[in-house]
Amino acid sequence: MKKPIYPFTRCTWPQALLSSLLLSLSLGGAGMALAAEELPMKIHLDVDGQRVTATLDDSAAARDFAALLPLSLTLEDYAVIERIAYLPRKLVTTGAPAGVTPKAGDLNYYAPWGNLAIFLGANPYARGLVRLGKVDTGLAALQRPGPLQVRIERITD
């Protein structure tokens, strides 16, 4: 007897259930709740008392990043053009391109190192870089020499 196929995933329902469970466990359960949330999501970064606002993209990596919020980090200068901080865990990058060409204000995740990277200027294409979103206002607060203490939270209306 042939096993029934789950219609949307081309796998049997036990395989689909197992895949969902494993994804939920790998995300600490938070990613499944965020899947239903609407993105793009607005966030703010409190940078040493100055407010920066940003919008997260609608992607698996951005949803996984949002699941970490609220988050307190120390941003360090890196190569003059970006501010970086290591995240508490690696992000899911399912469906992300192999890399991106960052622009000023882009929030990115550098998958090989597991860090957040906020660009202050344009940079050449970088393999392993995954765009999370874009700074809307307050980029100047990030242009000061670091280290910078930052608290990242969702904006709730």
Side-chain angles (χ1 to χ4, degrees):
M1 179 174 175
K2 196 170 184 179
K3 290 184 179 180
I5 300 294
Y6 192 75
F8 301 109
T9 62
R10 295 183 169 256
C11 61
T12 63
W13 70 267
Q15 289 169 326
L17 182 61
L18 181 60
S19 295
S20 294
L21 179 60
L22 290 174
L23 177 61
S24 179
L25 291 173
S26 71
L27 297 177
M32 295 304 281
L34 285 174
E37 287 189 28
E38 205 172 301
L39 283 178
M41 176 188 293
K42 296 285 188 177
I43 61 171
H44 70 85
L45 297 79
D46 181 348
V47 183
D48 289 334
Q50 293 185 300
R51 189 174 198 125
V52 176
T53 62
T55 303
L56 294 180
D57 292 345
D58 186 4
S59 69
R63 281 189 293 276
D64 199 21
F65 176 71
L68 295 175
L69 303 180
L71 192 58
S72 293
L73 301 169
T74 300
L75 292 173
E76 303 282 345
D77 293 334
Y78 185 79
V80 182
I81 199 140
E82 61 186 288
R83 302 294 179 257
I84 68 166
Y86 289 90
L87 297 175
R89 64 170 172 77
K90 294 236 178 193
L91 298 180
V92 171
T93 58
T94 305
V100 297
T101 303
K103 298 179 189 107
D106 280 356
L107 276 79
N108 297 281
Y109 171 65
Y110 187 57
W113 292 356
N115 67 281
L116 176 66
I118 304 172
F119 282 82
L120 305 177
N123 213 31
Y125 174 86
R127 188 167 182 76
L129 200 59
V130 178
R131 184 180 144 104
L132 299 175
K134 178 139 181 82
V135 170
D136 299 320
T137 64
L139 185 59
L142 296 163
Q143 293 172 327
R144 296 175 294 138
L148 303 171
Q149 299 304 312
V150 63
R151 172 92 173 157
I152 308 171
E153 299 176 332
R154 296 179 202 187
I155 295 176
T156 55
D157 293 328

